[in-house]
Structures are given as C-alpha cells and as structure tokens.
Amino acid sequence: MTDIHKHCPVCGTPIPLEESTCSQKCQDVISEQQSKIKRSRLTLFVVMIIFIIVFGLTMFF
C-alpha cells in the first residue's frame, strides 16, 4: 500500500497532507507570488478606474 501524500506546489517534493509546503523557503516563494498577483490586480483596477473617469469626462464635455 502506498503512502497518502501530496506534493509541494513549488518544488514538487512529497509532503504530508496537513502541510502546505515542504520548507519555509517554498512558503516564501508562494507568499511572494501571491503579493505580486495582488499588486497586479490592484494596478489593473486603478488603471480601469482612471480609464472610466477619463471616458466619462470626455462624454460630458
């Protein structure tokens, strides 16, 4: 019978089911990726709001 496990999303190392990553280094990589995604989404949101405001102003004037 095989051991039930999952793999680290960063490096692919087998880890126990209750763990999310195999090491603090891999956890840091995931945290950095999540912060980059959050920053990108915020930037996109701000650009879209600016575009809507500029478009709205050009429609009124």
Side-chain angles (χ1 to χ4, degrees):
M1 186 171 182
T2 60
D3 241 358
I4 297 177
H5 66 275
K6 62 182 182 178
H7 295 264
C8 176
V10 178
C11 65
T13 303
I15 56 174
L17 292 175
E18 61 273 356
E19 299 291 325
S20 58
T21 58
C22 65
S23 67
Q24 185 60 42
K25 181 180 175 184
C26 287
Q27 184 63 43
D28 293 341
V29 170
I30 288 178
S31 296
E32 184 179 334
Q33 288 174 345
Q34 289 174 342
S35 67
K36 283 182 181 179
I37 290 170
K38 185 185 260 187
R39 211 172 16 251
S40 296
R41 286 182 180 166
L42 180 62
T43 303
L44 178 62
F45 180 72
V46 168
V47 168
M48 289 181 71
I49 293 298
I50 291 171
F51 177 76
I52 291 169
I53 290 171
V54 169
F55 181 74
L57 289 175
T58 58
M59 293 299 289
F60 288 119
F61 296 110

